[in-house]
Amino acid sequence: MLTVDFSRFPLAPGDRVLDLGCGAGRHAFECYRRGAQVVALDQNGDEIREVAKWFAAMKEAGEAPAGASATAMEGDALALPFPDDSFDVVIISEVMEHIPDDKGVLAEMVRVLRPGGRIAVTVPRYGPEKICWALSDAYHEVEGGHIRIYRGDELLGKMREAGLEPYGTHHAHGLHSPYWWLKCAFGVDNDKALPVQAYHKLLVWDIMKKPLATRLAERALNPVIGKSFVVYATKPHLPEAPAADEASAAAEAPEPAARPAARARKTATSSAKTSAKSSAGAAK
C-alpha cells in the first residue's frame, strides 16, 4: 500500500533514493522495482533486518532491473550518515508526526538532497487524525507514538522554511480512515471486535485485488476523509556565480560616464589632423 503517488512523483532508473524512516519498506521496495539505487534507513533494527531480507529475496526473484541496488541500514534521522547532496530523491512517509524535532529532520533531509532533487513528505491528515485522538488516548499516548497533528498549511510552511519549494499536494487512503476510527472506538489493541475484523478483510481484499468499485470509492473519499496528507517539493538550485572571464571583462570595461569624453577627444584629434592637412595643401 503506497502513500506516495509515483505518477505525480516521477522516479527514473538510477536515481539515488533515501527512504527515511522506511518502516516495513513499502516505498523502498517500489523504488527498487523501478530501478533506483535505494537506501532504506530506520532506527528500528528489527525492521531493517526484515527489509534487508526482502531486498535479497527481490534480487533473487529478478524483481529489480539491472543497475538497481538496495541497502537497508539503521540510522538516526537527525544525524544522517551521508555527505551533502547525496541523493536525488528523499521519501519520508508517516514519520515526522513521531519526531519532536521535526525541523531538525527537515534540515537533514535538505542537506543530503542534491539541488534540483525531489522530496515526498506524508503525514496523517488533520481531520481524520483528530477523530482518532478524540476516540482513544491509547492511539497516540504510547512510546514512539504520534506527538502532533499537522495542519496542511503548517507542514507546507515548515518545508518552505527549510528551503524547499512545494509543487503539489493530495490526500490518500480514504478507505483507511473508518478502519482506524473503528480501531480507536473498540480499542486499539482489540483486533477481535467484529466490525474491526470485517473492515480489515475489506482492506486486505482491496489491496490484493484492487477492484474497480473500491478504487472509485477511494478516489471519491480521498479529498474528504483521506487518512494521509502528501506533499511533493524540490530543493532549488543555488544561483550561479558569474564566470571568471565574464567578471574580468566587466572589471576592465570603462565606466559609462567616461565614454562620451573619449569620443569627444577622438573627434577633436580628427578635426585637428584635417585642419593641418588643409593648411599644408594651401602652402604648396
Side-chain angles (χ1 to χ4, degrees):
M1 182 189 71
L2 299 174
T3 307
V4 172
D5 182 351
F6 286 95
S7 68
R8 310 185 197 207
F9 189 66
L11 192 69
D15 275 351
R16 300 163 298 167
V17 178
L18 172 63
D19 185 3
L20 182 55
C22 64
R26 56 202 173 103
H27 289 107
F29 300 148
E30 181 63 21
C31 294
Y32 190 30
R33 290 188 188 98
R34 290 171 178 261
Q37 298 174 13
V38 184
V39 175
L41 184 143
D42 201 286
Q43 67 176 2
N44 187 315
D46 292 336
E47 287 193 313
I48 282 298
R49 284 185 283 275
E50 193 66 23
V51 169
K53 290 178 184 178
W54 278 104
F55 279 151
M58 290 173 67
K59 182 177 181 179
E60 185 175 348
E63 291 188 36
S69 64
T71 303
M73 61 185 296
E74 289 185 57
D76 182 354
L78 290 167
L80 295 174
F82 311 110
D84 297 355
D85 308 337
S86 294
F87 295 95
D88 303 298
V89 173
V90 175
I91 296 171
I92 183 166
S93 182
E94 312 300 301
V95 173
M96 288 181 56
E97 67 276 9
H98 296 272
I99 301 176
D101 186 8
D102 57 346
K103 290 186 177 181
V105 172
L106 279 169
E108 272 294 88
M109 289 190 292
V110 171
R111 180 184 67 78
V112 301
L113 183 66
R114 68 164 176 81
R118 304 174 305 285
I119 187 169
V121 178
T122 90
V123 297
R125 185 182 185 179
Y126 183 85
E129 184 76 349
K130 196 74 173 176
I131 292 172
C132 288
W133 283 43
L135 289 171
S136 171
D137 290 337
Y139 171 79
H140 64 96
E141 290 183 357
V142 295
E143 185 179 354
H146 299 185
I147 62 171
R148 72 172 64 81
I149 307 176
Y150 286 101
R151 292 186 180 274
D153 56 356
E154 176 193 0
L155 179 59
L156 288 167
K158 288 186 176 184
M159 291 176 68
R160 291 190 180 101
E161 286 176 12
L164 296 166
E165 294 182 352
Y167 68 83
T169 66
H170 65 89
H171 299 100
H173 309 317
L175 287 176
H176 289 249
S177 289
Y179 171 73
W180 283 103
W181 297 340
L182 288 170
K183 288 270 288 180
C184 290
F186 286 93
V188 175
D189 298 320
N190 181 13
D191 294 327
K192 295 182 179 180
L194 290 179
V196 174
Q197 287 185 342
Y199 206 101
H200 184 262
K201 288 181 180 179
L202 169 66
L203 293 180
V204 172
W205 175 70
D206 171 58
I207 291 170
M208 299 301 294
K209 301 296 184 180
K210 296 181 173 61
L212 179 61
T214 55
R215 295 299 86 215
L216 292 175
E218 182 152 84
R219 189 178 302 173
L221 289 172
N222 279 343
V224 184
I225 59 170
K227 183 74 169 63
S228 295
F229 177 56
V230 187
V231 183
Y232 306 113
T234 59
K235 177 179 175 179
H237 288 279
L238 295 174
E240 292 186 7
D245 54 347
E246 292 178 0
S248 177
E252 293 175 1
E255 292 294 328
R259 288 172 186 163
R263 282 197 296 269
R265 287 195 298 271
K266 185 176 181 181
T267 302
T269 302
S270 298
S271 299
K273 288 180 178 178
T274 303
S275 178
K277 287 180 180 178
S278 298
S279 298
K284 291 178 181 178

